Amino acid sequence: MDTTLRDGEQTQGVSFSPDEKLNIAKVLLEQVRVDRIEVASARVSSGEARAVAQIINWAAERGLAERVEVLGFVDGGASVDWIHSAGGQVINLLAKGSEKHCHGQLGKTLDAHVADVRATIQHAQARGLRVNLYLEDWSNGYRDHPDYVYGLVAQLSDVGIGHIMLPDTLGVMTPDRVFAALSDMVGRFPTLRFDFHPHNDYGLATANVLAAVQGGAAGVHCTVNCLGERAGNASLAEVAVNLRDQFGYELGIDETHLARVSELVESFSGKRIADNTPIVGADVFTQTAGIHADGDKKGSLYHSRLSPERFARRRKYALGKLAGKASLAKNLERLNIELSEDNQRKVLKRIVELGDSKKTITTEDLPFIIAEVLESKDYHHAELLACTITSTLDLESMVGIKIRLDEQIFTGSGIGNGGFDAFTNALGRILKRQGLTLPSLVDYEIRIPKGGRTDALTECSITWQTERGELRTRGVHANQVFAAISATMRMLNIQLHRAATSGSGELT
């Protein structure tokens, strides 16, 4: 059972609109194909009533209404009537699963509470609702006063409850305790169906679900992206994949839609998942180390049953300072680009250099890097050794540079309308002392790869007017000013090389 739309909405700051709930419900039931969904708590608001009615009406048209469940309370029948008026067919009734809650919160004995629960169940059944029963705080109740739990279940075992749902309400259990407790409950009440409802406070929700299944649970509860109170519930994706791979269960879940429903819930909830979230995270099918890419190239040595194709995703090979030849080759293959081994070596060298200033270079960045490397010449007449740029609102930018021209080291500073203008002014002063002049700038263009990432590599193309005609140079960097500076240093090296070979001593 997926309870994203009920328990998941107890995540701090999460409130789904009726239309958002309907769309999530559609994806969960029709595409992901979970067995059941819990969509709301009764009597919360008029908007919640509209959401439940919309979901039920849609589900009823497709014969799925009995798979939609709503949390209700022992409140004199008010919850039952609320769910019935919305068209609901299943109530998940909340009872007190621990003696501490029964006595401390309700101020009632077990027998008195059982009488109230029975009355609510009878009212629900008279309204045509099927009834499941939550034993709130069951994990603490079972640990502290197991006889209370046994007595509650025994007294309600003959009233036609579909599922008795055992919550680890505060997420305090460990897998061994879950297994022992579920085995005990199933052994004591073999004719009843028990669900396990986890919470992730200790990070054990998925492990506890697997232990509950081993202990005989007939149903388990999950949420998309582990949403839920405090640290959340158990991840639907993690639970489904582990039940298949670790235990060999045949499930109705369509795994190819797990990433899609994760993205949908991310968007509607405003709660972003980590890039390394198992199964659905952005980076979980990305190999970063070059040795891993090499192993995959030589025989899928780093593949497992968790293949990206299984989830309608694609394996990626990160480009950065840890990349190797195989990482580059995989990305070139994806772009259908062929390079000689020598050019691959040059491109890889540049990727590693960029990786020191930018964590990851994407496949979309690669054409920029290739173009930069392949059009460059290995001239080393000039080298920028150090550069500092200061830009302030409503004040001119200031630059300080340290540069090598052949065997001599020069320092200089400049101010200008922006960092690049200040840089060219500083460079121009140094060159002027050597009797050299910078060519005129004819055109200046900045581009980033498609996708609109703010951390994308920047390509700067500058066209210069020289005595031999127009010269176009390119620079690539994570910072657009330094991309322009890189293009300028490439131009300077080309012009110094021309001057050296012609004997003119003039840049222009």
Side-chain angles (χ1 to χ4, degrees), residues 24-321:
I24 293 172
K26 288 179 177 180
V27 174
L28 285 170
L29 286 176
E30 276 197 321
Q31 297 180 18
V32 182
R33 299 207 302 263
V34 297
D35 298 307
R36 301 146 58 199
I37 58 173
E38 189 176 43
V39 299
S41 297
R43 303 176 61 201
V44 168
S45 67
S46 57
E48 199 76 334
R50 289 196 304 274
V52 173
Q54 286 181 5
I55 293 170
I56 293 293
N57 289 338
W58 170 84
E61 293 175 356
R62 290 155 180 79
L64 302 173
E66 64 179 11
R67 293 164 62 177
V68 180
E69 305 174 6
V70 181
L71 178 70
F73 309 95
V74 180
D75 53 11
S79 288
V80 170
D81 294 341
W82 190 93
I83 294 169
H84 181 264
S85 66
Q89 297 185 16
V90 184
I91 180 173
N92 292 339
L93 186 61
L94 190 70
K96 296 301 181 182
S98 70
E99 188 174 64
K100 182 178 180 180
H101 274 218
C102 185
H103 292 177
Q105 195 167 38
L106 300 181
K108 294 191 174 186
T109 64
L110 171 60
D111 290 343
H113 184 44
V114 167
D116 292 340
V117 173
R118 276 182 169 271
T120 303
I121 292 173
Q122 289 170 0
H123 182 55
Q125 291 171 338
R127 287 282 201 173
L129 301 184
R130 292 190 292 110
V131 181
N132 299 320
L133 186 69
Y134 269 116
L135 304 188
E136 184 185 12
D137 198 38
W138 165 79
S139 53
N140 284 324
Y142 181 85
R143 179 194 63 196
D144 298 336
H145 298 283
D147 287 341
Y148 170 88
V149 174
Y150 299 150
L152 177 64
V153 174
Q155 291 188 56
L156 295 171
S157 61
D158 61 346
V159 293
I161 296 170
H163 293 256
I164 295 180
M165 305 193 284
L166 308 177
D168 182 12
T169 302
L170 298 179
V172 297
M173 301 188 84
T174 59
D176 58 331
R177 287 178 53 202
V178 172
F179 175 77
L182 262 295
S183 298
D184 179 37
M185 296 295 291
V186 171
R188 285 177 182 272
F189 304 100
T191 62
L192 301 180
R193 293 170 58 85
F194 292 101
D195 286 8
F196 179 67
H197 179 101
H199 276 274
N200 201 39
D201 295 71
Y202 281 92
L204 294 172
T206 299
N208 284 344
V209 166
L210 300 185
V213 172
Q214 288 181 302
V220 293
H221 299 184
C222 314
T223 61
V224 177
N225 296 345
C226 200
L227 291 184
E229 190 104 20
R230 303 180 312 278
N233 204 292
S235 160
L236 168 65
E238 291 179 26
V239 168
V241 168
N242 273 285
L243 288 177
R244 271 203 172 111
D245 289 5
Q246 310 299 343
F247 294 165
Y249 277 92
E250 292 295 329
L251 306 177
I253 299 293
D254 184 342
E255 295 175 337
T256 63
H257 293 287
L258 289 173
R260 182 187 174 196
V261 74
S262 172
E263 291 173 359
L264 187 67
V265 170
E266 257 195 319
S267 176
F268 289 165
S269 69
K271 298 293 184 180
R272 303 303 176 195
I273 63 171
D275 289 342
N276 62 348
T277 300
I279 314 303
V280 295
D283 291 345
V284 295
F285 298 114
T286 300
Q287 302 280 37
T288 299
I291 190 173
H292 293 164
D294 181 66
D296 286 347
K297 184 179 179 182
K298 294 175 178 176
S300 302
L301 301 182
Y302 292 91
H303 288 197
S304 73
R305 294 180 66 182
L306 295 177
S307 67
E309 295 78 14
R310 172 178 171 182
F311 305 103
R313 302 185 65 188
R314 182 167 54 187
R315 192 177 305 281
K316 299 178 182 178
Y317 295 88
L319 296 169
K321 64 182 181 181

Side-chain angles (χ1 to χ4, degrees), residues 325-396:
K325 291 188 296 183
S327 304
L328 175 59
K330 288 286 188 180
N331 282 277
L332 291 173
E333 180 181 325
R334 178 178 164 188
L335 293 172
N336 198 27
I337 294 175
E338 294 184 7
L339 294 177
S340 68
E341 286 195 16
D342 184 53
N343 284 335
Q344 287 189 45
R345 178 184 55 78
K346 293 177 181 178
V347 170
L348 183 59
K349 180 176 181 291
R350 182 61 174 142
I351 287 170
V352 173
E353 290 172 354
L354 289 168
D356 281 332
S357 61
K358 184 176 184 288
K359 183 178 69 172
T360 301
I361 296 98
T362 69
T363 304
E364 289 72 27
D365 293 324
L366 195 52
F368 284 6
I369 300 170
I370 293 171
E372 178 201 33
V373 170
L374 295 190
E375 76 173 15
S376 68
K377 302 293 183 182
D378 292 328
Y379 303 144
H380 302 288
H381 300 286
E383 179 183 8
L384 184 64
L385 302 176
C387 178
T388 179
I389 302 174
T390 304
S391 293
T392 307
L393 183 65
D394 292 332
L395 292 175
E396 288 186 300

